[in-house]
Amino acid sequence: IIKHSNLTEILKKHSITNILSTEYISAGLHAWSQSQRITLLGIPFRMQINFENKLWFDTFMQKHNLPKPRSSVYTSGNNVFPLPYPVVIQDAESEGGEGTFFVHSQQDIDTLLGEALLTRNKPYMIREFIDAPAYGITLFISLSTIAISSVRVQCVVKEPDTRRDIFIGLQWIPSP
């Protein structure tokens, strides 16, 4: 949208040099803002990247004694698996449901490697699979306000061909 719009022209015409972003700042938006000398106001991009990185975030949770499922780093293609099945394997740098796999056996891992959904010799976050609904909220914190979103539930569907569980993201739960 930015590439094929006149947003930059309009911002410059009105001497706008700052944009308040209440949403996730993507790598593309970050690069665009730097190239246009526009300051994005919000969570610093580097901090967003850290919190989205599953390996970094797991270390953060552990360091601050926050509750989390048992977890470990797993290098795909390695025959030593540090947690009992079933587990959730996550690409450290994935977003949303992309790069999240529910694994019940070594055969599942071999299939993911064979389909190039996992990359050999790459570190992945593996977490204990907890058979319960997964919920999430979003927090917005400023100097004067703390806003909490409605509760969301993580949704999973069965892939038609393989019957493999596919994480499809978060869905809002209707208010009572």
Side-chain angles (χ1 to χ4, degrees), residues 13-92:
K13 178 181 176 183
H14 295 284
S15 301
I16 296 171
T17 58
N18 299 286
I19 297 176
L20 174 64
S21 175
T22 59
E23 300 297 324
Y24 176 79
I25 298 170
S26 69
L29 182 58
H30 177 70
W32 169 83
S33 71
Q34 287 189 321
S35 72
Q36 300 303 314
R37 294 194 168 108
I38 304 261
T39 301
L40 294 174
L41 305 172
I43 297 173
F45 181 69
R46 183 75 248 156
M47 186 180 291
Q48 280 184 313
I49 296 301
N50 285 344
F51 276 98
E52 287 293 325
N53 183 294
K54 292 8 172 223
L55 302 174
W56 186 95
F57 187 66
D58 192 72
T59 302
F60 173 86
M61 299 276 287
Q62 186 170 348
K63 178 180 176 183
H64 295 284
N65 295 318
L66 297 170
K68 64 182 191 67
R70 286 188 304 155
S71 60
S72 185
V73 177
Y74 170 71
T75 301
S76 57
N78 184 350
N79 290 335
V80 179
F81 204 75
L83 291 176
Y85 295 106
V87 297
V88 179
I89 295 182
Q90 294 179 296
D91 185 330

Side-chain angles (χ1 to χ4, degrees), residues 5-166:
S5 76
N6 63 349
L7 176 63
T8 304
E9 181 183 311
I10 292 168
L11 293 172
K12 288 182 180 181
K13 178 181 176 183
H14 295 284
S15 301
I16 296 171
T17 58
N18 299 286
I19 297 176
L20 174 64
S21 175
T22 59
E23 300 297 324
Y24 176 79
I25 298 170
S26 69
L29 182 58
H30 177 70
W32 169 83
S33 71
Q34 287 189 321
S35 72
Q36 300 303 314
R37 294 194 168 108
I38 304 261
T39 301
L40 294 174
L41 305 172
I43 297 173
F45 181 69
R46 183 75 248 156
M47 186 180 291
Q48 280 184 313
I49 296 301
N50 285 344
F51 276 98
E52 287 293 325
N53 183 294
K54 292 8 172 223
L55 302 174
W56 186 95
F57 187 66
D58 192 72
T59 302
F60 173 86
M61 299 276 287
Q62 186 170 348
K63 178 180 176 183
H64 295 284
N65 295 318
L66 297 170
K68 64 182 191 67
R70 286 188 304 155
S71 60
S72 185
V73 177
Y74 170 71
T75 301
S76 57
N78 184 350
N79 290 335
V80 179
F81 204 75
L83 291 176
Y85 295 106
V87 297
V88 179
I89 295 182
Q90 294 179 296
D91 185 330
E93 298 173 356
S94 62
E95 295 180 25
E98 181 181 304
T100 299
F101 306 98
F102 299 92
V103 175
H104 300 275
S105 68
Q106 180 63 47
Q107 182 179 350
D108 289 347
I109 293 174
D110 294 341
T111 300
L112 292 169
L113 285 166
E115 294 175 4
L117 294 171
L118 293 180
T119 303
R120 240 177 238 293
N121 302 317
K122 178 179 177 179
Y124 289 88
M125 171 57 58
I126 62 166
R127 299 180 194 277
E128 165 188 28
F129 175 79
I130 298 174
D131 191 12
Y135 297 99
I137 59 169
T138 298
L139 298 176
F140 175 80
I141 302 172
S142 71
L143 294 176
S144 61
T145 305
I146 297 177
I148 302 174
S149 73
S150 297
V151 175
R152 300 180 312 266
V153 65
Q154 294 184 354
C155 295
V156 176
V157 297
K158 295 275 185 204
E159 187 177 72
D161 296 336
T162 64
R163 304 300 298 152
R164 185 169 51 214
D165 289 331
I166 303 292

